[in-house]
Amino acid sequence: MTDRLPLQCDFSLHEHNTFGIRAKANAYIQVTSADILSEIRLDNSLSTLPRLVLGGGSNILLSGDFPGLVLHMCLKGIEIVGRDAQSTYVRAAAGESWHGLVCRTLELGLGGLENLSLIPGSVGAAPIQNIGAYGVELKDCFHALSAFDFDTGNIFTLNRDECDFGYRDSVFKHRLAGQAAILDVTFALPRQWQPNLNYAELEQELAVRGKPDPTARDISDAVVAIRTRKLPDPAVIGNAGSFFKNPVVPAAQRERLLAKHPKLVSYGQPDGSFKLAAGWLIDQCGWKGRRVGNAGVYEKQALVLVNHGGASGRELQDLAKAIQADVLARFGVELEPEPVIV
Ligand code: EPU
């Protein structure tokens, strides 16, 4: 059976993680159809290996070589699959690039995903952490997904409620962790499109551009400009976007912190809790722009850890731990890493 599968051994993952860590996998397969997953499941020598389902590699930190099988999700295709009074439904395969999908929907005259422009990574990885930026999260336009279940060999579908989306969170980080590979995602894009300008920085950017009444494409252009200014391009300097989640704390804790640190940046949540800007906390601890060996904190955004070249996963993890310890000591707040540490 293995002979028919496109298996590669001792495979370098350097080009397949945006941190640019030089790590290898024992075995690697490009998955271009669900059938390949079924075959792997039935192959005794492959199905027993530790498994890593890989998308664009933009949200992982490889702490070393991976002693198992990497399944690189490369399924392709974007199509309109339906329309009703409210929505146009667009299905995209897991291996499509996220930003490529955003551009394609804009070409089709469909708004909804524009605030999520230029987020690195693949369509199939996007629901796992419910990607979000500039006032919008994936869940806002999500309709359904289909996924392969490694336990049963079946393909199942989940609707929005079943995905249990939260802030950078979903069922795939909990009940279904390690058990499923997302095959495709269907989005419900609104036929009566309204701009989402809740994020102050985005509104300011559009004002500067003379677009008080923006189209979806204007918003996409503005988001691309902001991200390009503030976030490092992984093709130039290795990184995985925000390395920590913004911690969510109860109102009373935020009050105590504000009394001591009047400039604390925080955002009220619908349930009365507050999200703290982790970038601000890290910045206050003096980490912005610092470098430890080949790992560092990006000079323009303290929430982003970078590989200055040749950093190991261990170096980046040690840096992350030092930052966590400082933020805990100074503010009593625990920072949780956003990328999956493998
Ligand atoms: N700040 C600082 N110093 C810094 C960085 C930030 O003081 O070095 C303060 C600023 O005052 C700023 C505030 O923190 O007003 C928030 O910063 P920013 O607007 O850059 O957003 P963020 O909270 O740091 C989040 C997401 C980003 C997303 C942006 C825009 C998380 C973990 N990160 O960052 O998502 O692009 O908002 O919506 O929620 C990602 O997940 O990889 C990511 C880049």
Side-chain angles (χ1 to χ4, degrees):
M1 185 87 66
T2 315
D3 296 347
R4 299 216 324 267
L5 288 165
L7 180 70
Q8 298 183 63
C9 294
D10 212 18
F11 185 85
S12 169
L13 297 172
H14 179 231
E15 299 292 323
H16 297 286
N17 74 102
T18 59
F19 257 127
I21 305 284
R22 293 185 185 277
K24 286 181 183 174
N26 276 7
Y28 166 96
I29 291 180
Q30 265 191 18
V31 177
T32 49
S33 72
D35 290 347
I36 292 185
L37 296 175
S38 300
E39 283 190 46
I40 290 167
R41 188 176 165 274
L42 296 174
D43 183 311
N44 283 338
S45 61
L46 295 178
S47 63
T48 48
L49 292 175
R51 195 170 51 224
L52 171 65
V53 177
L54 183 69
S58 59
N59 203 45
I60 57 166
L61 175 58
L62 297 166
S63 53
D65 289 341
F66 183 68
L69 172 63
V70 169
L71 299 174
H72 188 189
M73 302 303 286
C74 297
L75 297 90
K76 297 286 184 197
I78 297 175
E79 58 180 331
I80 293 177
V81 290
R83 279 194 185 84
D84 60 23
Q86 281 80 40
S87 307
T88 303
Y89 297 89
V90 175
R91 184 170 60 212
E96 291 288 345
S97 96
W98 175 264
H99 184 61
L101 169 66
V102 175
C103 294
R104 184 79 192 109
T105 57
L106 292 174
E107 278 163 25
L108 292 166
L110 302 169
L113 301 181
E114 57 281 351
N115 294 50
L116 304 177
S117 295
L118 210 60
I119 295 182
S122 65
V123 167
I128 297 173
Q129 53 154 345
N130 182 26
I131 59 169
Y134 306 103
V136 171
E137 289 183 336
L138 168 130
K139 74 168 167 44
D140 300 329
C141 281
F142 178 91
H143 179 63
L145 60 75
S146 70
F148 180 85
D149 185 329
F150 288 103
D151 285 356
T152 63
N154 294 333
I155 292 174
F156 62 94
T157 60
L158 294 181
N159 64 26
R160 189 158 73 153
D161 287 346
E162 290 164 333
C163 285
D164 209 7
F165 290 123
Y167 168 54
R168 298 293 192 275
D169 201 26
S170 76
V171 69
F172 293 96
K173 287 191 167 185
H174 303 280
R175 184 172 61 79
L176 293 177
Q179 194 190 319
I182 295 173
L183 299 171
D184 58 58
V185 185
T186 303
F187 297 88
L189 303 177
R191 298 194 73 178
Q192 302 295 318
W193 176 81
Q194 296 283 334
N196 184 328
L197 305 177
N198 290 333
Y199 207 87
E201 200 181 357
L202 177 58
E203 207 179 5
Q204 284 155 19
E205 177 70 24
L206 287 158
V208 169
R209 293 169 163 250
K211 305 278 183 190
D213 197 9
T215 63
R217 192 173 286 279
D218 293 335
I219 292 176
S220 175
D221 291 345
V223 168
V224 168
I226 298 171
R227 290 189 74 99
T228 306
R229 266 201 312 266
K230 286 182 64 169
L231 295 167
D233 178 354
V236 179
I237 181 162
N239 75 92
S242 298
F243 194 87
F244 299 103
K245 292 192 202 180
N246 285 328
V248 179
V249 300
Q253 187 178 359
R254 182 237 184 197
E255 281 301 316
R256 284 196 300 276
L257 283 167
L258 258 186
K260 269 175 119 180
H261 310 279
K263 293 192 173 155
L264 179 82
V265 182
S266 63
Y267 314 94
Q269 301 300 296
D271 66 358
S273 62
F274 282 83
K275 206 184 254 183
L276 308 181
W280 187 88
L281 301 173
I282 298 167
D283 200 351
Q284 293 300 303
C285 292
W287 278 105
K288 192 150 137 182
R290 269 175 72 181
R291 181 172 175 159
V292 182
N294 294 321
V297 180
Y298 190 51
E299 60 195 5
K300 296 183 199 159
Q301 167 48 295
L303 202 46
V304 178
L305 302 193
V306 293
N307 175 2
H308 286 292
S312 65
R314 177 60 53 195
E315 268 180 294
L316 281 153
Q317 266 183 296
D318 288 348
L319 173 62
K321 281 185 189 143
I323 292 170
Q324 283 170 309
D326 273 5
V327 169
L328 185 62
R330 178 140 185 210
F331 297 102
V333 173
E334 283 194 34
L335 294 184
E336 192 187 328
E338 195 192 279
V340 179
I341 298 172
V342 182

